[in-house]
Amino acid sequence: MSRSKQRRKAIQKQKRMKKIKKGKLVPFSLANSPRKLNGRINKHEYKTNIHNLIFVSSFFKNVKYTASNITSCNFRDSKIIGVDYINTNLKDSKFKNVHFENVIFYSVNIKNADFFNATFKNVYFINTNTTVAKNINLDQPSVYILRGHPSLNIDNTLINSIEKLMEIPKIQKHYVLTTRNSKGKKINNWILYLLLQSFSKKELSQAFLRMYLNNKPSSNRTMFTYFSYLEFLSKYYRKDGII
């Protein structure tokens, strides 16, 4: 590698690290690595671009992939828990013997993705064409195929509690309860719809307000996914059997 190229890469790395330190979401790219890679825990991967990577027997928990390309990657024998795939391309990736739990596929390309012997627990395919995947068995008790937009009757108390939460930058920037296209101005109806399957509007309002009032530098740092809110609410109201 030439000195000029090394210098250019060093500068790019410095810029990347500065953005990360400021709490900004920074795209990550990697392709054709022969090394086995580890999974991810408590991450929001924004515009990740990875191809032909090995994640065999890895563990993923509370990870959000937004507008990402994860193509021809091998996740065989992995556990994927509490992951949100949002507007993400999983084309040609291999999910053989993978266990999915509390996972959302929202507007995801799973063309030729291989799900041979994959198991699903509380998994939601929302506006995602499952017919183009390989070996996918959707005849499991807690697999849900959802389309369109949910019709919700949300009261002002719940809306106000979400708007309060959005005043906290470290929560707002991950766009879980609100939508990225609206820059946080509109409610994410699908996430709210899913949370309302286990909690009442009053429970959500009270818990969101508590999160807002109790916000500290060390709190609310991993609210990246639907699962992270489901887990918080389950613990807050001491409800067993939800996750």
Side-chain angles (χ1 to χ4, degrees), residues 119-168:
T119 56
F120 302 100
K121 179 182 178 182
N122 297 331
V123 174
Y124 302 88
F125 292 91
I126 304 174
N127 296 326
T128 293
N129 183 4
T130 58
T131 65
V132 296
K134 291 181 178 178
N135 302 313
I136 189 167
N137 177 17
L138 301 177
D139 188 21
Q140 299 183 42
S142 51
V143 176
Y144 304 92
I145 311 297
L146 305 171
R147 303 190 186 284
H149 299 279
S151 178
L152 294 178
N153 182 18
I154 308 172
D155 56 46
N156 289 332
T157 303
L158 180 52
I159 292 173
N160 291 338
S161 68
I162 294 174
E163 288 177 345
K164 280 291 184 183
L165 266 186
M166 293 309 105
E167 294 176 11
I168 303 174

Side-chain angles (χ1 to χ4, degrees), residues 149-242:
H149 299 279
S151 178
L152 294 178
N153 182 18
I154 308 172
D155 56 46
N156 289 332
T157 303
L158 180 52
I159 292 173
N160 291 338
S161 68
I162 294 174
E163 288 177 345
K164 280 291 184 183
L165 266 186
M166 293 309 105
E167 294 176 11
I168 303 174
K170 62 186 172 184
I171 290 181
Q172 188 272 341
K173 71 178 181 179
H174 298 296
Y175 299 106
V176 180
L177 298 177
T178 58
T179 64
R180 178 175 292 276
N181 288 342
S182 69
K183 296 182 179 180
K185 301 299 182 183
K186 292 183 179 180
I187 302 295
N188 188 327
N189 285 343
W190 271 120
I191 295 298
L192 211 56
Y193 170 83
L194 296 181
L195 292 176
L196 285 169
Q197 304 308 301
S198 303
F199 303 93
S200 68
K201 296 174 187 177
K202 184 178 180 180
E203 286 176 325
L204 294 184
S205 300
Q206 290 177 343
F208 293 159
L209 186 58
R210 183 65 179 272
M211 287 175 65
Y212 171 76
L213 294 175
N214 287 357
N215 183 53
K216 299 174 183 177
S218 59
S219 64
N220 303 324
R221 296 178 65 87
T222 58
M223 307 306 290
F224 308 139
T225 61
Y226 157 70
F227 171 78
S228 64
Y229 284 86
L230 191 69
E231 185 177 48
F232 167 78
L233 290 161
S234 298
K235 290 179 179 178
Y236 184 73
Y237 288 111
R238 299 180 181 177
K239 289 190 177 184
D240 297 326
I242 293 177

